[in-house]
Amino acid sequence: MSNTILVGAQWGDEGKGKIIDVLTEQADIVVRYAGGNNAGHTVFVGQQKYVLHLVPSGILRKNKLCIIGNGVVVDPISLVEEIEMLRQLNIKVDTNFAVSETAHLVLPYHRELDAQREVLKGKNKIGTTKRGIGPAYGDKAARVGLRMIDLINPERFEAKLALRIKENNEVLKALGAKPLSFKKILAEYRAAGDYLKPYVKNTVVLLHQACLRGDNLLFEGAQGTFLDIDHGTYPFVTSSNTTAGGACTGSGVPPHRMDRVVGVMKAYTTRVGEGPLPTENAEISDLLHGMGREFGATTGRPRRCGWFDSVAVRHATMVNGIDGLAVTNLDGLDTVEAIKVCIGYRIGRTRYDYMPADVEVLSQCEPIYAEFEGWCEPTTQARKWKHLPKLARTYLKALSELSAANLAIVSVGPGRDQTIFV
Ligand code: GDP
Ligand code: IMO
Ligand code: MG
């Protein structure tokens, strides 16, 4: 292998967890670099389902070091719960796990502010996961955030927390919300700090040493390209750089160490939360929901569904430098007779071959479709490229060409073995 960055090439939930789990077999270290517990990465090992929110999905394989990098915002209570959940399922989390000392914390006032701001926005709400992600990154940028290094230093944590609660309680009161109890939060988070202390490390140095040893690093992206704060459909985005560049800033591993970028995308499109989704379509939505598919791994919300949007993925190829595509959920289209793919946008008589940056313009865009004949047979048993129906291969080749990146992996089911290396 080599040092690989894996990113979502659409709006999140592309199946990154499954592909990370598959690629981890050849990696030594798996690193989360952005987002927080807004992420929900599903991995099946046999019949057992795991949903990971903060701990890298590599944790499910033996002898792999899993690191939460400095770019992630960590809700300590949620992290403790996740470690406990994994241990109950007999997954080892000790020397194989580390969290950056400079990762910022998500605290109760972040979650409360996230919820209150969504209410204030009314019909213009973002549809956040209400995990406090935006306010936590906001504090980081405003230089008033608390970090893991503060959490494991009880005196320092108490002093900093006192100041932040004082200010945030004023804001919450002004918004008509209840103020938070400093005492209660201090006790709860101190306990979490004690629990997490053994894992808090200087992960930048740790990763640097791993690079010198020639270890293979796998960077686990969270969310997707169009939820990136710079490259997404702002303001309907998350608050971090989810794209490939974020892997460097969010881990401290420099750009020249990166060898490859894998972009994960579904064979169709989904999105949770508000914001434009040009190819959104009731037919495919009803079909997938009817099959019990496409409900959010973190919030359980039904995902909005649409046809594959090659204009969007081509943009993702550009901003991430994707050299290998992993197409997931091909089997979701197994029963569709006529499959549509968006090859351009139109507003009136103006055609767009790229994604307009302005969401108001993007919202007016109508997709221009090409149509593909469906293969109408199950693909879930295919294990090699040649096992796939000819029409499915034609479809996949077209997705790759339209997305301007080579096809590397095709996934035909949630299981580890339901994976085809092209
Ligand atoms: P992530 O956030 O990108 O890791 O994706 P999620 O876990 O939120 O959502 C992807 C969903 O698709 C999960 O339920 C996976 O188990 C499932 N999945 C991934 N790849 C495939 C596939 O090829 N076929 C099917 N049927 N399900 C898949
Ligand atoms: P994974 O890693 C899909 C969406 C939310 C909302 C917007 C902002 O599982 O792909 P936030 O809570 O981050 O402030 O919400 O981003 N969102 C995701 N959608 N998958 C995710 O993560 C997401 N993380 C955030 O639904 O629209
Ligand atoms: Mg997800």
Side-chain angles (χ1 to χ4, degrees):
M1 209 163 96
S2 47
N3 294 344
T4 301
I5 305 172
L6 181 138
V7 292
Q10 295 162 322
W11 277 270
D13 301 330
E14 296 91 347
K16 298 177 293 295
K18 140 120 200 204
I19 303 297
I20 283 284
D21 172 66
V22 168
L23 294 181
T24 298
E25 202 173 4
Q26 294 145 49
D28 300 298
I29 304 184
V30 185
V31 189
R32 269 283 303 269
Y33 62 83
N37 63 337
N38 49 349
H41 296 178
T42 314
V43 182
F44 277 88
V45 183
Q47 294 305 305
Q48 182 65 53
K49 177 182 176 178
Y50 300 88
V51 181
L52 295 138
H53 301 285
L54 278 164
V55 176
S57 305
I59 201 79
L60 304 176
R61 294 203 184 248
K62 290 206 173 87
N63 304 321
K64 310 290 177 180
L65 177 59
C66 288
I67 295 180
I68 296 181
N70 55 276
V72 174
V73 286
V74 178
D75 181 328
I77 305 291
S78 166
L79 180 56
V80 171
E81 280 172 9
E82 193 166 322
I83 294 172
E84 283 297 300
M85 176 275 287
L86 288 167
R87 285 187 178 150
Q88 269 166 24
L89 295 168
N90 293 317
I91 303 295
K92 170 179 150 172
V93 189
D94 49 56
T95 49
N96 58 343
F97 174 68
V99 50
S100 167
E101 58 191 3
T102 56
H104 277 249
L105 304 179
V106 180
L107 290 157
Y109 46 84
H110 295 131
R111 282 197 301 276
E112 199 54 44
L113 283 173
D114 193 354
Q116 292 298 329
R117 284 180 190 158
E118 284 283 272
V119 173
L120 262 184
K121 285 199 179 92
K123 67 174 178 43
N124 296 319
K125 71 175 195 263
I126 297 167
T128 74
T129 59
K130 300 206 176 83
R131 298 294 189 272
I133 305 297
Y137 278 114
D139 274 4
K140 177 179 180 177
R143 295 155 297 177
V144 293
L146 273 69
R147 304 187 292 178
M148 288 305 296
I149 207 166
D150 301 313
L151 183 71
I152 59 169
N153 179 331
E155 289 78 43
R156 205 205 288 179
F157 181 67
E158 180 169 356
K160 288 194 175 186
L161 183 73
L163 276 176
R164 296 305 300 142
I165 297 241
K166 197 169 166 218
E167 178 184 323
N168 281 291
N169 273 349
E170 292 306 317
V171 178
L172 287 173
K173 274 190 273 178
L175 292 172
K178 273 202 220 138
L180 300 164
S181 157
F182 168 66
K183 257 190 173 168
K184 186 165 167 277
I185 294 172
L186 182 66
E188 248 184 313
Y189 283 74
R190 266 195 174 162
D194 289 343
Y195 184 104
L196 294 172
K197 193 168 180 175
Y199 312 107
V200 180
K201 307 245 166 82
N202 183 330
T203 53
V204 173
V205 171
L206 212 150
L207 285 167
H208 179 70
Q209 287 163 347
C211 286
L212 295 180
R213 276 198 305 272
D215 281 2
N216 292 322
L217 312 184
L218 180 57
F219 293 85
E220 178 174 352
Q223 288 80 51
T225 300
F226 301 104
L227 293 174
D228 181 286
I229 184 136
D230 284 283
H231 301 290
T233 50
Y234 192 91
F236 302 101
V237 292
T238 191
S239 299
S240 65
N241 283 119
T242 62
T243 44
C248 292
T249 52
S251 71
V253 176
H256 77 278
R257 294 273 183 204
M258 304 299 185
D259 301 299
R260 194 163 77 117
V261 181
V262 172
V264 187
M265 60 190 210
K266 280 178 175 148
Y268 46 90
T269 306
T270 65
R271 171 170 208 166
V272 231
E274 307 304 316
L277 187 63
T279 61
E280 188 165 20
N281 173 277
E283 183 193 339
I284 178 114
S285 198
D286 292 348
L287 173 87
L288 293 164
H289 291 151
M291 291 157 82
R293 297 165 76 126
E294 302 308 344
F295 293 90
T298 295
T299 56
R301 291 178 289 179
R303 295 174 182 149
R304 297 158 63 194
C305 305
W307 300 111
F308 185 82
D309 184 343
S310 73
V311 181
V313 176
R314 211 158 47 236
H315 193 93
T317 302
M318 183 170 71
V319 296
N320 293 294
I322 295 172
D323 19 53
L325 287 173
V327 180
T328 69
N329 288 272
L330 182 72
D331 53 305
L333 298 178
D334 282 352
T335 58
V336 184
E337 282 171 13
I339 305 170
K340 288 183 181 157
V341 171
C342 169
I343 54 166
Y345 301 144
R346 179 172 29 221
I347 302 177
R349 290 165 71 178
T350 311
R351 184 177 165 136
Y352 292 81
D353 291 313
Y354 62 90
M355 231 174 146
D358 183 342
V359 282
E360 286 183 27
V361 178
L362 184 60
S363 306
Q364 292 168 42
C365 283
E366 301 223 8
I368 301 168
Y369 286 119
E371 207 168 281
F372 291 80
E373 191 183 337
W375 45 94
C376 296
E377 58 177 293
T379 55
T380 50
Q381 300 303 321
R383 298 295 176 267
K384 290 198 169 125
W385 176 252
K386 64 179 183 202
H387 297 164
L388 288 170
K390 191 161 180 289
L391 289 171
R393 281 183 272 154
T394 305
Y395 179 69
L396 289 164
K397 277 189 203 155
L399 294 196
S400 157
E401 232 162 76
L402 288 165
S403 307
N406 292 326
L407 201 57
I409 296 172
V410 180
S411 170
V412 292
R416 274 181 178 168
D417 62 326
Q418 291 174 299
T419 311
I420 298 167
F421 289 91
V422 182

